[in-house]
Amino acid sequence: MSFRGTTPGRWRRARRRTAAITAGLAASALILTGCAESERGATGGTGEDTGVNSTFIFAASSDPKSLDPAFASDGESFRVSRQIFEGLVGVEPGTADPAPLLAESWDSSEDGLSYTFQLKEGVKFHDDTAFNAEAVCFNFDRWYNFEGLQQSESVSYYYNSLFRGFSDSPDTAVYGSCEAVSETEATVNLAQPFAGFIAALSLPAFAMQSPTALEEFNADDIGGSAEAPVLSEYAKSHPVGTGPFKFDSWDVGQQVEVSAFDGYWGEQGQVQKVIFRVLDDPQARRQSLEAGTIDGYDLVAPADTKALADAGFKIINRDPFTILYLGINQEVEALADPLVRQALSHAIDKEALVRQTLPEGTQVASQFIPPIVNGYNEDVPTYEYDPERAKELLAEAGYADGLTLEFNYPTGVSRPYMPTPEQVFTNLSAQLEEVGITIEAAPDKWSPDYLDRVQGSSDHGIHLLGWTGDYNDTDNFVGVFFGREKPEFGFNNPDLFNALDEARQVSKLEAQTPLYEEINADIAEYVPAIPLAHPAPSLGFAPRVESYPASPVNDEVFNMITLSE
């Protein structure tokens, strides 16, 4: 099997065309009521030549968790990573499908265990280290040789989830070895088939990083504990990639700054400096856009989209490639009972939840993958909104006199699958209380407390969480959630784990599809969690933003932004 695509340079130009088309659908322009000239002056390059303010200020909903993408799993970390780093594989503009990036092409063996990549020539990391086959193998071997705390799920989440093992656990590992065949050719050998391997490489977690910088700044020197890891010097202040922007500074709690890399191999574009300003309150982000102190922000609150559009700001909606779910921890005795989990499902009015708290274009969910993903099953068991049936099931489970549950939810954050967590919590709590469930609210600050509590320990009850798909592969949804025993859900179901493991190794789509259809039906019947909705995230921009490369998987690199004066 082989993939022969356009070169990354041509692909970048295609991204620019796609971005322009996307923005053409946005609202018309309005002169801003203010501007941030002190931070937005022309800084050289294309911006200076055209007279366009070349500093782009984007409001982030939180700090990044880590500037080393191998030790990150959150959207804000990856938003910054995508500007600094590039992987062997990128994403086709406007889709969730893989495309060439630092690898111009690749071939795979018939057994799916060997992949040979033809690399882009003449690419340099920001520290002038050459990008070549040796650098590729250095990165793959680095991930494989993580040890101790580096292996914890809270640190190397994606390598854990997708590559399943390290050099000290080779029996479960997907990765085998890497060989630098020549300066521009690298072969990666897998120990077991992984149908999603190429698509997975589009994740920022598997971006290429400078071997020189990784060693010089002790990238793998992670301190603390799995519950509260302490970042390395590299991950705090020295990330080095091949992307269009190089790292400048990170003022924790305030902002991250990057600037155009003069030696970038591709098209640099108009934007010469990016400031990611941390504004965790959705109202503050809106007010900053209206005041002209930022150029754009993600996760516009559903109640704000029409007002901003009417005022002349640009609203761009991503296609839904998300899932919001109510997590269920079966370590809690009552939640281990399938009757209780079914009761929770019948107690929730998903249509009302979507209508009252989520963006326009959001789809009600019946399963944990969006309809466009392979294996979506129209015939999965469903639990219609039926409060009386919920009460009957609770009584049958022995809770006729009521049930008390801790309900964990995050504060101080907006996520693509959940722009207003507090509103979602309030809405669902009221629905559950109507059927006799007493809710004990358990709010936590998103980073690091909430994720550490929900994903890293069993100290939680029902909880709100979700996922933005990383690439178009079923395993990236259901495999990530339910592929093995995890503290978040607190159950051990070998049949489900084995079925998912078998499906991810099947390389032909027509053979995979029925396997995933059956798996999705089994998950719906088992109710390890409750799929709620596939939200359609909205972004808001100042009128000077003529185009923005909106992506269903958030693969948005800011050198593709087009600005006007």
Side-chain angles (χ1 to χ4, degrees), residues 7 17 38 48 92 105 137 176 259 264 272 276 307 346 360 375 403 406 439 471 512:
T7 64
R17 291 194 297 270
S38 61
E48 185 175 54
E92 193 68 38
S105 63
C137 290
S259 60
Y264 182 54
Q272 298 292 296
F276 294 96
H346 282 298
E360 184 177 349
L403 171 64
E406 180 181 57
I439 294 299
Y471 49 87
Q512 258 194 349

Side-chain angles (χ1 to χ4, degrees), residues 394-415:
L394 288 172
E396 189 177 342
Y399 298 101
D401 296 329
L403 171 64
T404 298
L405 291 176
E406 180 181 57
F407 193 158
N408 303 87
Y409 67 97
T411 62
V413 73
S414 295
R415 306 306 305 139

Side-chain angles (χ1 to χ4, degrees), residues 6 44 56 71 89 107-108 114 131 190 288 294-295 317 323 423 446 466 553 556:
T6 58
F56 187 81
F71 292 149
V89 179
D107 298 283
S108 69
S114 181
F131 167 74
L190 304 184
S288 295
I294 64 171
D295 288 301
N317 294 322
I323 178 67
Q423 291 181 17
W446 173 257
V553 291
E556 296 156 2

Side-chain angles (χ1 to χ4, degrees), residues 149 154 225-229 448 452 456-457:
L149 185 60
S154 60
S225 64
E227 292 73 26
D452 288 345
S457 78

Side-chain angles (χ1 to χ4, degrees), residues 234-535:
Y234 176 87
K236 290 185 288 188
S237 53
H238 297 285
V240 179
T242 65
F245 299 94
K246 61 181 178 61
F247 173 77
D248 289 334
S249 64
W250 180 11
D251 184 1
V252 177
Q254 298 299 317
Q255 61 190 37
V256 176
E257 296 187 20
V258 299
S259 60
F261 173 48
D262 289 340
Y264 182 54
W265 59 267
E267 295 182 22
Q268 185 49 254
Q270 289 178 296
V271 175
Q272 298 292 296
K273 185 179 184 66
V274 181
I275 298 173
F276 294 96
R277 181 166 297 156
V278 179
L279 297 173
D280 62 11
D281 179 62
Q283 186 174 0
R285 293 196 291 274
R286 172 185 170 165
Q287 290 171 344
S288 295
L289 182 66
E290 292 172 326
T293 58
I294 64 171
D295 288 301
Y297 72 102
D298 203 350
L299 313 178
V300 178
D304 292 341
T305 54
K306 185 177 186 303
L308 285 172
D310 288 347
F313 294 94
K314 293 181 172 70
I315 301 296
I316 296 176
N317 294 322
R318 293 192 185 94
D319 292 335
F321 202 67
T322 57
I323 178 67
L324 167 65
Y325 61 82
L326 181 69
I328 298 174
N329 178 15
Q330 292 185 38
E331 286 290 313
V332 177
E333 181 180 357
L335 297 176
D337 189 330
L339 296 178
V340 172
R341 302 199 299 273
Q342 292 171 21
L344 292 174
S345 298
H346 282 298
I348 295 173
D349 185 346
K350 296 179 185 179
E351 295 279 359
L353 177 72
V354 168
R355 185 173 63 252
Q356 296 165 10
T357 70
L358 295 171
E360 184 177 349
T362 295
Q363 302 168 351
V364 169
S366 65
Q367 52 209 285
F368 287 87
I369 60 173
I372 65 170
V373 176
N374 178 46
Y376 188 85
N377 187 344
E378 297 284 357
D379 299 318
V380 299
T382 57
Y383 303 87
E384 301 302 325
Y385 174 55
D386 188 343
E388 293 307 313
R389 179 58 181 154
K391 293 175 184 178
E392 292 172 1
L393 288 167
L394 288 172
E396 189 177 342
Y399 298 101
D401 296 329
L403 171 64
T404 298
L405 291 176
E406 180 181 57
F407 193 158
N408 303 87
Y409 67 97
T411 62
V413 73
S414 295
R415 306 306 305 139
Y417 48 79
M418 185 171 51
T420 53
E422 292 90 345
Q423 291 181 17
V424 174
F425 163 77
T426 300
N427 188 287
L428 290 177
S429 294
Q431 294 185 25
L432 296 175
E433 287 176 346
E434 285 183 5
V435 302
I437 297 174
T438 300
I439 294 299
E440 292 182 347
D444 273 309
K445 188 77 171 176
W446 173 257
S447 179
D449 300 336
Y450 186 73
L451 288 180
D452 288 345
R453 183 174 182 181
V454 167
Q455 293 185 326
S457 78
S458 59
D459 181 24
H460 58 278
I462 58 174
H463 56 276
L464 291 176
L465 209 54
W467 187 256
T468 298
D470 300 304
Y471 49 87
N472 198 348
D473 183 78
T474 322
D475 182 69
N476 184 240
F477 286 88
V478 290
V480 169
F481 299 144
F482 310 122
R484 56 199 171 102
E485 191 172 0
K486 299 174 70 173
E488 180 182 352
F489 301 111
F491 72 87
N492 185 9
N493 187 329
D495 289 341
L496 178 57
F497 301 160
N498 291 337
L500 283 164
D501 194 51
E502 177 187 348
R504 83 194 300 262
Q505 296 185 53
V506 175
S507 59
K508 295 189 181 300
L509 191 67
E510 61 271 21
Q512 258 194 349
T513 300
L515 297 178
Y516 278 125
E517 287 176 345
E518 183 176 355
I519 286 169
N520 282 315
D522 290 343
I523 290 171
E525 185 173 355
Y526 182 62
V527 199
I530 300 172
L532 299 171
H534 304 294

